[in-house]
Amino acid sequence: MDQANQQWLIEANQLLLQLGVSPEHRRTFLAQIQPEQLTDRIAVLKEALLFAQSSEHDEIEKVSPHADDQELHEAIQTLPFNQKISLSLHHYHSFTESEIEQLTSLSYKEFHEQEQSALSTLADRWQTDKSRIDQFLSLLQEAYDLQEPDPEELPEQEEIPEEPTVNKEKKKSKWPAIATGGILAAAAGAIFLLNDPIPEVPEETGAAGEAEESGEEAEPVFGEGQLTELDELIKSRKEELSEALGLSEEEVNRLNVIMNVESQLQFMRDINEGYHENPHGDNEQMLTMLIDEIEWYTVPPMDMLAAFYEQADEYYGNTELGRSDFTVNMFIDNGQNLINVYEEKLNENKELITPESRSSYLEDLPEKERELREKMKENGFTYDYDTEKAEFTVTMGGEVFEERTDFLHPAYQDFLKSMPPSENEMYQSVSNETEIDYADHAATALELEQHMETFYQLENEAADDYFQLGLPRRLSFHYSELTRILIGGSGISVSRTDPDLREEQLAAWEDILQDRTFENSYIRDIVSIQYTIGEKYEFDMPPGWTEIDFEPFYTAAGPGHESGFSRRVEVPLQDYLKDVYDTYILGGDREAIKLLHPKFIILFYFHALNQKDYDIAYSLMGGEELPDYSRFEEIVSEYEYGFGSFRDLFYRSGMQDGEDVEATFTMQMNGNEMYIDMRLEDDMFKVKYTDDRMFRNYVTEEEEDAPD
């Protein structure tokens, strides 16, 4: 089997894992797929999707030792199948729009709507926003990556294991399971399309499942009258929103708030059918949560902001800053969504709009267009015409906005008026056929940076060690993703494989370095590092250039559960990382070092020990037990450090007690797990000096046992 075929099968295995297919069934699929079916990647993965849809799912596999990752994986398995595949394909695989349509038989628009519905459902279960779910999904990828099979462990096609036995009494499917061989043989004939209304393979759990096992008629968990009333309430709210917002029924159906409450209502119907269990346990609580969400979310935007601000009183009392933070954090997804819908509606006839006709178009509007613009103003939105792009842009603002949001802190009012595009909107360009607009990404990142600096300054001025604002920490993920795209060409949700530096990317770097708008910004400092390394190679970038992470707000945000990396890194460092070390670490450029994510400080620390750059290693350490340099040099010089390879470097835990902030990372060194403590000192995270014996952990057994 050639390398390409192996990679297709490994990717198919990972897709099946993400969709909840058991290890036994995954081995069955890999063993039974025939060589003649390994024609291309899309064909193999489409086979995998068909197999996943027909497979029985007895138990949910444990994919991670981290409870939060495992809980998210299990929650994903309760989603409708099309939502599951949309999450998996969008977040963990790289496809063009045409490939998505070929794989799923969904239009790309339908695919995107399914993915958004899935994010909304998961966000509601965790009572958080969708951007946080995006972040959690990226972290879950690390757990999935660790399950990736070795190419040598792939089963031979002729060695077909026996199909695992499924207890049919325990679980009955509304769609009969198709034998694996039948799927593979009939795939070309398209047994069914993924967007056909095929019932999900249910897990008969809870009251309905138990009753079926005993042969008794099950009492529904939720009264049908209750669900009907909720359905009617949602329909009524949709009609009111259509009138208030100036949108059609179809456009209202595309609003996140509507897709979310309808998805939750359907989930409750599925519980009645025995497909799922109530993840909250308390049925009355689940009903109350949905009623509250309909009450707070399915209203015009100005009313939504007011409702959130009133609700924030429960958590922040009469604190304007805290209540404003809560309000905007809860609102942002819905505001971005409504901006997108309005922009699309305004630009329906943009081919008729030219700079020459702009004046007459705006002044002599058809009645329908004039009504739409009035509705937008009534709901706190304003618009402008971009002559360069020949399209309308929509933002929040105007007289109604100013009057009806005067309860918000001014910094949060300003943020809403320059609210960035949603993460999903910006990052679609990284994974589909659309070219990345690096200039637009840079401008958005600069706006985010300025807002975050303002918010963190306000947080510091609050003079409360335990008071933390949620919005800047949420924006931090968005900001990090934008900087990754700017400096590497792809974000954390897309595999980084050292592509060539694009001409338009280099042009964006040069614009950032020259444009006075970026003066004194982190964005310029970060790009400057990449540009300096690139110049050395005449911009034929060295291996590893896309894998660096810059986190200038890491010390402000505090340690948190965020992305590490699972790739293998050799020490002594090579290629790009060695260039960064030689240029900035050896050069003692502390301001550049502070921009780096702490996980790279760890790597540079180990490299310094390996190279006997003890003064550099000392400068990267901190802690109350750190001795003076002469004593430190005496201790570390006793050993020879043959580090070899590192992998799986992840944040594990953190602690904050007043000004004392620490973080613990774990990593695999030569097959052994190692814990690295870090401490915030001098505005950067440093490796914590614990005691004189800590350096023994870095010595291989052969070196440790060697005679003196």
Side-chain angles (χ1 to χ4, degrees):
M1 185 185 301
D2 63 29
Q3 187 174 4
N5 291 161
Q6 287 182 340
Q7 286 304 118
W8 296 340
L9 290 179
I10 289 173
E11 186 174 7
N13 178 84
Q14 295 305 91
L15 178 58
L16 293 173
L17 166 69
Q18 293 149 12
L19 298 179
V21 177
S22 68
E24 293 79 9
H25 283 79
R26 296 202 297 273
R27 285 194 290 272
T28 297
F29 172 82
L30 296 175
Q32 291 195 356
I33 194 166
Q34 297 303 305
E36 61 269 18
Q37 293 169 315
L38 296 173
T39 55
D40 60 56
R41 176 184 177 226
I42 299 300
V44 172
L45 295 181
K46 189 158 188 174
E47 295 266 10
L49 288 177
L50 293 169
F51 181 82
Q53 190 166 21
S54 68
S55 296
E56 298 280 3
H57 298 243
D58 294 317
E59 295 181 359
I60 297 180
E61 180 179 358
K62 185 174 179 62
V63 300
S64 174
H66 298 291
D68 47 0
D69 289 343
Q70 182 64 27
E71 185 179 0
L72 178 57
H73 174 71
E74 293 176 3
I76 291 171
Q77 306 317 312
T78 69
L79 296 172
F81 188 72
N82 277 344
Q83 291 187 19
K84 279 202 297 186
I85 65 173
S86 297
L87 274 183
S88 178
L89 296 179
H90 177 77
H91 289 269
Y92 305 130
H93 304 267
S94 180
F95 294 105
T96 64
E97 292 182 15
S98 58
E99 287 172 337
I100 287 291
E101 292 173 353
Q102 185 181 351
L103 263 173
T104 65
S105 299
L106 296 167
S107 70
Y108 191 75
K109 179 181 177 182
E110 291 170 328
F111 173 85
H112 182 63
E113 289 174 350
Q114 290 288 332
E115 191 250 348
Q116 288 297 302
S117 295
L119 289 175
S120 295
T121 300
L122 295 174
D124 177 69
R125 293 187 197 178
W126 267 271
Q127 292 295 289
T128 187
D129 51 77
K130 291 194 295 184
S131 68
R132 294 291 292 168
I133 298 299
D134 270 328
Q135 187 176 8
F136 297 157
L137 289 168
S138 69
L139 298 171
L140 182 57
Q141 182 174 9
E142 298 161 6
Y144 289 147
D145 287 345
L146 294 177
Q147 303 289 328
E148 183 175 298
D150 189 288
E152 297 181 0
E153 297 176 357
L154 293 173
E156 298 293 334
Q157 269 66 51
E158 66 271 17
E159 297 178 5
I160 302 177
E162 183 178 351
E163 177 73 16
T165 302
V166 177
N167 185 350
K168 299 297 182 181
E169 293 302 317
K170 178 181 178 182
K171 187 188 306 178
K172 298 181 181 179
S173 170
K174 285 193 172 185
W175 182 262
I178 303 173
T180 306
I183 293 177
L184 299 176
I191 296 173
F192 47 79
L193 300 177
L194 294 180
N195 61 340
D196 284 344
I198 298 173
E200 297 296 309
V201 178
E203 291 205 14
E204 300 290 359
T205 55
E210 294 169 5
E212 185 167 339
E213 288 184 14
S214 64
E216 299 175 1
E217 186 70 25
E219 283 289 333
V221 176
F222 302 102
E224 189 56 39
Q226 292 176 310
L227 301 186
T228 300
E229 287 181 13
L230 287 172
D231 190 30
E232 291 299 321
L233 178 58
I234 293 172
K235 288 179 180 177
S236 173
R237 285 301 182 91
K238 286 165 63 174
E239 292 174 0
E240 293 171 6
L241 280 176
S242 178
E243 173 64 26
L245 301 176
L247 300 176
S248 67
E249 179 181 352
E250 179 184 355
E251 289 160 345
V252 169
N253 284 333
R254 286 168 43 209
L255 296 177
N256 290 342
V257 292
I258 296 301
M259 290 192 292
N260 196 19
V261 295
E262 289 187 332
S263 175
Q264 290 181 68
L265 180 59
Q266 182 57 48
F267 186 74
M268 293 165 71
R269 293 191 188 280
D270 289 345
I271 290 175
N272 269 3
E273 292 293 324
Y275 295 171
H276 309 298
E277 288 182 331
N278 179 357
H280 303 289
D282 187 332
N283 298 326
E284 287 301 319
Q285 180 192 22
M286 193 174 190
L287 274 171
T288 300
M289 287 170 61
L290 179 53
I291 292 170
D292 288 344
E293 183 152 357
I294 296 171
E295 180 72 23
W296 295 330
Y297 284 83
T298 60
V299 294
M302 296 299 100
D303 294 337
M304 191 185 301
L305 284 167
F308 288 152
Y309 194 79
E310 182 179 347
Q311 185 185 354
D313 181 66
E314 179 180 346
Y315 305 99
Y316 294 98
N318 198 29
T319 306
E320 180 193 35
L321 182 62
R323 294 177 73 180
S324 297
D325 183 77
F326 176 90
T327 299
V328 174
N329 220 352
M330 294 288 286
F331 174 78
I332 183 171
D333 281 336
N334 303 301
Q336 290 165 330
N337 177 222
L338 195 48
I339 285 174
N340 292 340
V341 172
Y342 273 141
E343 284 185 341
E344 187 173 323
K345 191 173 181 67
L346 277 177
N347 289 307
E348 284 177 349
N349 300 312
K350 72 176 182 179
E351 66 277 1
L352 304 176
I353 308 171
T354 64
E356 293 78 15
S357 64
R358 179 188 175 205
S359 176
S360 61
Y361 186 88
L362 292 177
E363 293 174 4
D364 188 22
L365 289 171
E367 185 64 25
K368 185 177 179 181
E369 297 288 334
R370 189 178 299 281
E371 288 178 0
L372 173 62
R373 285 156 178 72
E374 289 302 318
K375 292 291 187 183
M376 291 173 60
K377 292 177 182 178
E378 291 172 8
N379 285 285
F381 292 88
T382 186
Y383 57 88
D384 194 14
Y385 181 74
D386 187 329
T387 55
E388 185 177 337
K389 295 182 179 180
E391 64 183 20
F392 282 104
T393 58
V394 176
T395 58
M396 300 198 77
E399 292 182 10
V400 173
F401 175 86
E402 297 292 345
E403 292 173 3
R404 298 199 58 188
T405 62
D406 61 355
F407 52 82
L408 291 174
H409 188 286
Y412 285 85
Q413 274 189 308
D414 290 342
F415 173 78
L416 287 176
K417 288 187 286 188
S418 59
M419 192 162 45
S422 67
E423 292 93 325
N424 286 315
E425 181 186 358
M426 295 207 73
Y427 307 146
Q428 282 182 36
S429 60
V430 181
S431 56
N432 62 34
E433 296 163 341
T434 308
E435 288 295 325
I436 300 173
D437 189 337
Y438 290 103
D440 188 46
H441 279 48
T444 302
L446 182 62
E447 282 190 2
L448 287 173
E449 181 179 312
Q450 292 166 345
H451 284 303
M452 291 164 68
E453 287 185 319
T454 298
F455 291 138
Y456 282 126
Q457 181 63 34
L458 290 170
E459 182 178 281
N460 291 335
E461 292 172 358
D464 184 342
D465 292 338
Y466 299 98
F467 178 75
Q468 288 191 338
L469 297 174
L471 185 60
R473 287 165 175 80
R474 172 180 180 173
L475 298 179
S476 180
F477 174 75
H478 196 357
Y479 178 82
S480 298
E481 186 80 344
L482 285 170
T483 56
R484 287 185 181 100
I485 294 169
L486 278 171
I487 65 171
S490 61
I492 62 173
S493 58
V494 180
S495 176
R496 291 183 268 182
T497 55
D498 287 334
D500 293 334
L501 177 64
R502 303 177 185 180
E503 289 184 11
E504 57 270 28
Q505 191 174 0
L506 177 57
W509 290 1
E510 292 172 340
D511 288 343
I512 290 169
L513 294 175
Q514 296 169 9
D515 189 341
R516 294 182 63 182
T517 306
F518 291 90
E519 198 169 349
N520 299 320
S521 69
Y522 289 134
I523 291 293
R524 174 177 282 185
D525 294 339
I526 290 168
V527 167
S528 178
I529 292 174
Q530 291 293 77
Y531 195 88
T532 300
I533 301 296
E535 275 188 313
K536 178 179 176 181
Y537 294 91
E538 297 182 348
F539 298 104
D540 183 12
M541 302 299 284
W545 75 279
T546 64
E547 297 177 343
I548 194 77
D549 287 333
F550 296 94
E551 295 284 355
F553 290 100
Y554 196 89
T555 56
H561 188 182
E562 40 62 52
S563 177
F565 62 80
S566 57
R567 70 184 185 280
R568 187 180 302 276
V569 177
E570 297 293 329
V571 173
L573 299 173
Q574 304 294 324
D575 303 317
Y576 173 83
L577 287 179
K578 184 177 185 300
D579 283 320
V580 174
Y581 179 88
D582 291 343
T583 305
Y584 294 98
I585 309 300
L586 283 179
D589 190 339
R590 293 188 60 81
E591 295 307 312
I593 297 172
K594 290 178 182 179
L595 298 173
L596 295 168
H597 190 288
K599 62 194 174 192
F600 291 97
I601 301 299
I602 294 174
L603 293 179
F604 292 137
Y605 159 73
F606 284 132
H607 181 79
L609 289 177
N610 179 269
Q611 299 297 296
K612 295 184 170 59
D613 295 333
Y614 298 138
D615 57 332
I616 300 298
Y618 187 79
S619 72
L620 298 177
M621 298 194 75
E624 296 176 355
E625 302 299 323
L626 182 65
D628 60 44
Y629 178 71
S630 59
R631 173 61 180 155
F632 172 82
E633 186 178 22
E634 179 184 338
I635 295 168
V636 297
S637 60
E638 294 179 10
Y639 306 101
E640 291 291 329
Y641 304 100
F643 290 110
S645 63
F646 295 88
R647 64 173 299 160
D648 303 335
L649 176 53
F650 297 119
Y651 168 83
R652 173 58 63 90
S653 61
M655 180 278 292
Q656 183 166 358
D657 183 10
E659 296 182 357
D660 293 332
V661 182
E662 296 188 0
T664 299
F665 289 77
T666 61
M667 64 192 306
Q668 294 287 327
M669 184 178 78
N670 298 322
N672 298 314
E673 186 173 43
M674 179 182 297
Y675 289 78
I676 307 295
D677 292 325
M678 303 195 77
R679 182 179 177 85
L680 181 60
E681 288 187 11
D682 303 325
D683 295 325
M684 64 177 285
F685 275 91
K686 296 182 175 182
V687 177
K688 182 180 179 181
Y689 192 99
T690 53
D691 57 53
D692 297 352
R693 296 169 297 176
M694 64 182 291
F695 301 99
R696 282 187 167 187
N697 297 326
Y698 310 152
V699 181
T700 61
E701 290 184 9
E702 292 81 2
E703 294 165 336
E704 192 173 5
D705 296 338
D708 295 333

